[in-house]
Amino acid sequence: MADFVESAKNFVSSAVSRTSWEAQKQMRVRGKQNEIDKLMDQRRQLLDELGQIAMTQFQQGTLSDPQLSRVCAGIMELDHDVKNREAQLQDIKKDTYMPEQPAPVADYNPPPFTPPSSSTGPKQPAAPTIPGNQGQVICPNCGNSVRANSLYCRSCGARLR
Ligand SMILES: [Zn+2]
């Protein structure tokens, strides 16, 4: 009987030390995960900085790497699209309900986007349109087709307007 009590005590005590060991392990896991998160944060910040540097060089016309230029052109296009959507969003917010008037039939047409005039470099002539394919133009630099209202070619990054 004494043996049974002794082994029960041992069982309980080993269960307790195991519990505290597991708790400590949890703390070590959380601590290490925190370290990783902090490093990943720093990494994201540097990556962001890298992008900002490339974008600045691209906008100044001093970015020579074609792959980076292509990515920057894509970002410029997205910025341009976002600006259009934001203008449309403001118009939607301004809309008020007017029951007497007939509902508008025509789709909303955003005003043409006028990019801020840059003083760096001469403007390239407008890209030729593709016959029978409205909304697409040929990039004068690489010959790929791009959207007619694009500021930059998504294939090569050349400025189109
Ligand atoms: Zn191109």
Side-chain angles (χ1 to χ4, degrees):
M1 188 54 86
D3 279 355
F4 172 77
V5 170
E6 199 56 33
S7 77
K9 271 185 189 165
N10 284 341
F11 178 79
V12 167
S13 118
S14 88
V16 166
S17 68
R18 173 162 189 176
T19 304
S20 78
W21 185 88
E22 291 287 356
Q24 283 201 340
K25 182 186 169 182
Q26 285 294 316
M27 272 173 56
R28 283 190 295 153
V29 165
R30 243 175 286 155
K32 198 53 71 180
Q33 188 62 56
N34 256 332
E35 286 175 31
I36 293 170
D37 289 349
K38 274 184 190 145
L39 289 170
M40 291 302 284
D41 264 355
Q42 289 174 23
R43 187 183 185 278
R44 268 190 291 272
Q45 278 170 23
L46 285 178
L47 203 57
D48 202 46
E49 201 178 320
L50 181 68
Q52 290 299 331
I53 292 168
M55 285 302 290
T56 302
Q57 289 191 2
F58 179 69
Q59 283 163 319
Q60 288 171 344
T62 53
L63 187 67
S64 53
D65 187 277
Q67 277 181 305
L68 286 180
S69 295
R70 192 179 50 77
V71 174
C72 289
I75 292 172
M76 293 291 284
E77 279 301 307
L78 288 173
D79 284 350
H80 174 215
D81 289 349
V82 167
K83 259 188 197 165
N84 275 340
R85 298 301 191 287
E86 279 173 347
Q88 291 170 8
L89 176 66
Q90 290 311 313
D91 283 341
I92 292 172
K93 283 181 178 173
K94 272 185 235 153
D95 270 354
T96 47
Y97 179 64
M98 283 182 281
E100 293 91 34
Q101 291 188 357
V105 233
D107 283 339
Y108 172 72
N109 278 315
F113 173 78
T114 43
S117 57
S118 66
S119 51
T120 54
K123 284 217 165 176
Q124 291 193 8
T129 50
I130 303 170
N133 193 354
Q134 294 208 331
Q136 295 281 309
V137 295
I138 299 267
C139 169
N141 188 50
C142 72
N144 281 304
S145 74
V146 286
R147 282 189 311 166
N149 60 352
S150 294
L151 279 177
Y152 295 92
C153 171
R154 281 199 191 190
S155 299
C156 71
R159 185 162 189 137
L160 299 175
R161 286 191 290 162

